[in-house]
Amino acid sequence: MQTILIPTDFNPVSVNCIPTLCKQLPEQELNFIFIHMFKLSDRMGDLLMLSRRNREYKYVSQEFYDQCELMKQTYSLIKAIKIEFFYGSTVGMFRDYLENAGVNQILDPSFCSTGKLNSNSIDPALLVQRSGTPVIHINTNTPVAELPKRKIILEAETLETLLA
């Protein structure tokens, strides 16, 4: 089981790395963690409420969630795709996070869409480089079959609404 951390700004095209990673790591069960990094606030109120924060999820579009679901449906070796946020700016905190999350490899940030979501966003490249965790690069020479053009059917949808 491989757990790959993918730094992102949750642009739906960020998910496009998954087909190539699946080809590069055949016959392995894969977990993907899409993560955005924020510097830790120095305000006491923010620190006390940090474990209850969920306002950052507003940055994740429904299209991003849909693309993740499509990848899980398309590639059977994907066991999980998670969306998380990291709060901190020290290598020690980042290493602790990686260990607790069971991350084996980190996708090279140069292959990722890592723009800022707000003024507290940080560039993940330095933490990734200094973490000591193996960095995986996308092999651009690996041909990837085009994804099937299909719509994700939500449970609430019925056949009549899809045919209309």
Side-chain angles (χ1 to χ4, degrees):
M1 174 83 69
Q2 290 284 320
T3 300
I4 301 173
L5 187 81
I6 302 173
T8 187
D9 58 5
F10 303 108
N11 183 328
V13 299
S14 301
V15 180
N16 292 348
C17 63
I18 290 180
T20 304
L21 290 171
C22 289
K23 289 276 189 186
Q24 282 181 229
L25 302 166
E27 300 179 25
Q28 292 190 41
E29 292 182 341
L30 299 171
N31 291 324
F32 294 102
I33 301 173
F34 284 93
I35 192 168
H36 190 80
M37 300 177 181
F38 294 103
K39 64 183 170 188
L40 196 57
S41 173
D42 56 357
R43 292 181 48 217
M44 185 57 78
D46 287 346
L47 293 173
L48 291 172
M49 298 302 290
L50 193 58
S51 65
R52 298 176 188 221
R53 289 182 73 152
N54 62 7
R55 67 179 170 202
E56 280 78 13
Y57 285 95
K58 70 181 180 188
Y59 295 114
V60 185
S61 69
Q62 185 60 47
E63 187 179 1
F64 185 86
Y65 285 115
D66 291 346
Q67 289 298 318
C68 289
E69 186 59 34
L70 179 60
M71 292 297 166
K72 283 174 31 180
Q73 291 174 5
T74 305
Y75 296 96
S76 61
L77 49 117
I78 298 175
K79 297 305 169 201
I81 296 177
K82 296 180 183 177
I83 295 171
E84 296 188 3
F85 299 94
F86 172 76
Y87 303 94
S89 56
T90 67
V91 176
M93 290 174 75
F94 187 56
R95 283 183 185 148
D96 288 344
Y97 169 81
L98 295 172
E99 183 178 332
N100 289 333
V103 172
N104 305 97
Q105 300 181 69
I106 303 172
L107 181 61
D108 183 347
S110 64
F111 293 103
C112 306
S113 176
T114 58
K116 288 187 167 218
L117 296 180
N118 66 33
S119 61
N120 289 329
S121 296
I122 60 173
D123 182 5
L126 188 59
L127 288 176
V128 169
Q129 177 187 0
R130 292 184 177 175
S131 71
T133 303
V135 174
I136 188 169
H137 302 273
I138 291 179
N139 183 353
T140 55
N141 296 327
T142 303
V144 177
E146 188 173 323
L147 287 176
K149 304 290 186 215
R150 62 182 178 178
K151 182 181 180 205
I152 296 172
I153 300 174
L154 303 175
E155 291 176 22
E157 292 179 326
T158 62
L159 184 58
E160 291 79 29
T161 61
L162 290 173
L163 296 175

